[in-house]
Amino acid sequence: MHTRWTIASVLIIIASAGAAGRAFQAQQAGVDSRPPNATGQTPAFPGQTRAPEHKSGVAYDVVTAAEGVENPWGLAFLPSGKMLVTERPGRLRIVGTDGTLSPPVTGVPPVDAHGQGGLLGVALDPRFASNSLVYWSYAEPRGDGQTNTAVARGTLVDAAAPRLENVQVIYHQAPSMDSTLHYGGRLVFGRDGTLFLTQGERSITPGRMQAQQMDSLLGKIVRINADGSIPKDNPFVGKEGARPEIWSIGHRNVEAATLNPSTGELWETEHGARGGDEINIARKGKDYGWPTIAYGIEYQGAPITGGITAKDGMEQPLYYWDPVIAPSGMTFYTGDLFPAWKGSLFIGGLVTTNLVRLDVAGERVTGEERLLTDLQPNRERIRDVVQGPDGALYVLTDNAKGRILKIVPKK
Ligand SMILES: [Ca+2]
């Protein structure tokens, strides 16, 4: 039977081509015009990915606040204005306000610095001014190639030869795995003084499959008290077969987290595979889906698990990227130095070698901007971003000769 081309059908074809064109233009309006790695995936709601580009037009200078730090991973400001910085190979240093590096702080337990492992996140006790306690996360060697993420704390003595005293290991992820990948490692204190640790699932298949298992600490965000004991109001306390440290489940590899200054909730960003980096609000007892649901595809190109992006009982990311940024480090800007950035969410991009700025309205991302794009020629990956007490933004670059960059208003 011949198709009869009527005027009406031609008009329908022209109209639908116009709609496709407009959809393509809408995609082009995001900051990344490359096509997604996964074809045929649909966001769960409008604006879940590819927010429109919003150039804030803020003029800034980038100052090198310190250099010669080896693969810096985490940064915390001391009340003195000095910085505490971790170097992934296993050293903790104090950086003076003039940028001078202290000798390595002694007392740090051994770390396994292969692959993505080493000395990772760092945080000050909320009562640091009176107790001088600092906390750090790291890849813990367990023999026979087995490692796990761990958390230790100690009393910091900031002297000419700085040291940690009364060091205690307060948390070990279990089980240990023969993998050098996906340690997670951000430490964030909640408003109630409990300590969140973001983790990964160690990447290898046996670890990945445990992200949904309640008797495993892989692929979980955990919440502990500052002494390592378990908060009584954790969601799975007293539940048979579930680890009481668990706060939320179904995470792939979380290297960025911060408290939302308006709500006090824990916002986190996690790595996807090829496509599928996510922003989530990690809520008590919730399941963030990995590896059952995911955006993007496997590195080798196959669908992830069943190739589905949504399932009842599993949380949708509030935002995702495909292609990925490889997120590490995040902070909401609350300072006065950059009024136009107040409320923006800043996230470090490892693979994009730039700093991502997002406009956030409630629980939605409404605009995206890429800053520090001139780091690209030297492949300076951004590992962490922290707001300083002066309201400037401080950024760590992940190189053997890494830098601490300070972003200030243009003179
Ligand atoms: Ca997810």
Side-chain angles (χ1 to χ4, degrees):
M1 207 174 174
H2 293 287
T3 306
R4 295 184 63 189
W5 291 89
T6 63
I7 288 173
S9 65
V10 170
L11 286 176
I12 287 166
I13 290 166
I14 290 169
S16 54
R22 281 193 298 277
F24 183 69
Q25 279 177 1
Q27 284 197 356
Q28 291 290 297
V31 295
D32 194 335
S33 59
R34 292 173 297 168
N37 291 289
T39 52
Q41 292 184 345
T42 319
F45 52 85
Q48 194 185 19
T49 189
R50 293 180 189 254
E53 179 165 33
H54 172 216
K55 289 191 170 157
S56 55
V58 170
Y60 58 85
D61 284 324
V62 180
V63 180
T64 300
E67 56 195 344
V69 273
E70 189 174 355
N71 298 102
W73 208 97
L75 175 68
F77 275 88
L78 297 168
S80 62
K82 296 179 183 178
M83 293 175 272
L84 203 53
V85 63
T86 60
E87 292 178 302
R88 198 172 51 74
R91 291 177 298 271
L92 181 68
R93 292 186 195 273
I94 297 169
V95 182
T97 50
D98 60 354
T100 53
L101 305 183
S102 78
V105 178
T106 58
V108 177
V111 306
D112 189 299
H114 297 95
Q116 295 167 355
L119 188 55
L120 305 173
V122 62
L124 301 193
D125 191 282
R127 294 196 302 269
F128 178 85
S130 57
N131 64 20
S132 298
L133 279 173
V134 299
Y135 300 74
W136 61 97
S137 65
Y138 60 105
E140 182 179 39
R142 306 290 276 187
D144 294 331
Q146 304 275 315
T147 60
N148 52 255
T149 309
V151 179
R153 71 172 186 176
T155 308
L156 180 68
V157 180
D158 180 8
R163 61 189 187 274
L164 289 158
E165 294 179 344
N166 308 314
V167 172
Q168 304 168 277
V169 183
I170 59 170
Y171 172 82
H172 309 269
Q173 187 185 38
S176 307
M177 301 293 275
D178 186 359
S179 163
T180 61
L181 303 173
H182 294 195
Y183 290 98
R186 290 294 165 195
L187 290 165
V188 179
F189 274 96
R191 284 181 179 171
D192 60 2
T194 58
L195 178 60
F196 293 104
L197 169 68
T198 71
Q199 300 183 120
E201 34 67 303
R202 312 305 312 285
S203 179
I204 55 177
T205 303
R208 173 191 280 204
M209 300 322 289
Q210 292 180 34
Q212 290 287 326
Q213 287 178 21
M214 302 306 296
D215 60 352
S216 163
L217 293 171
L218 276 59
K220 312 297 189 308
I221 291 176
V222 292
R223 177 178 180 250
I224 57 177
N225 291 317
D227 62 358
S229 63
I230 309 294
K232 290 184 175 62
D233 59 345
N234 265 6
F236 303 106
V237 166
K239 299 231 164 97
E240 176 129 3
R243 296 288 304 227
E245 299 93 335
I246 296 174
W247 175 256
S248 57
I249 80 164
H251 300 285
R252 185 170 179 273
N253 187 27
V254 192
E255 294 186 342
T258 193
L259 289 195
N260 180 312
S262 314
T263 64
E265 289 193 293
L266 185 72
W267 286 48
E268 58 93 347
T269 307
E270 59 188 81
H271 294 273
R274 251 173 83 190
D277 287 354
E278 301 182 348
I279 303 178
N280 295 292
I281 304 172
R283 291 191 163 124
K284 184 175 180 175
K286 296 288 188 188
D287 179 354
Y288 291 85
W290 181 257
T292 311
I293 62 169
Y295 292 94
I297 53 177
E298 299 281 11
Y299 292 118
Q300 300 83 358
I304 295 166
T305 316
I308 59 169
T309 58
K311 191 174 178 182
D312 282 351
M314 294 183 175
E315 303 301 305
Q316 279 294 315
L318 71 86
Y319 196 65
Y320 72 87
W321 288 270
D322 181 3
V324 298
I325 62 167
S328 186
M330 70 194 287
T331 193
F332 281 95
Y333 186 73
T334 60
D336 294 323
L337 271 190
F338 297 103
W341 287 348
K342 223 165 214 184
S344 288
L345 181 58
F346 288 87
I347 300 170
L350 290 168
V351 70
T352 51
T353 58
N354 57 28
L355 182 63
V356 178
R357 189 194 66 81
L358 299 174
D359 298 310
V360 177
E363 297 180 6
R364 291 286 176 267
V365 172
T366 57
E368 181 165 353
E369 180 176 22
R370 300 286 170 90
L371 306 169
L372 304 183
T373 49
D374 52 342
L375 297 181
Q376 224 137 11
N378 297 322
R379 297 283 310 142
E380 288 188 271
R381 296 148 42 94
I382 295 187
R383 177 55 81 185
D384 198 11
V385 53
V386 172
Q387 182 182 314
D390 53 359
L393 282 170
Y394 290 78
V395 162
L396 302 181
T397 69
D398 178 34
N399 276 334
K401 291 182 177 172
R403 300 192 287 162
I404 303 176
L405 302 177
K406 178 181 177 181
I407 304 174
V408 292
K410 197 166 189 66
K411 277 186 190 153

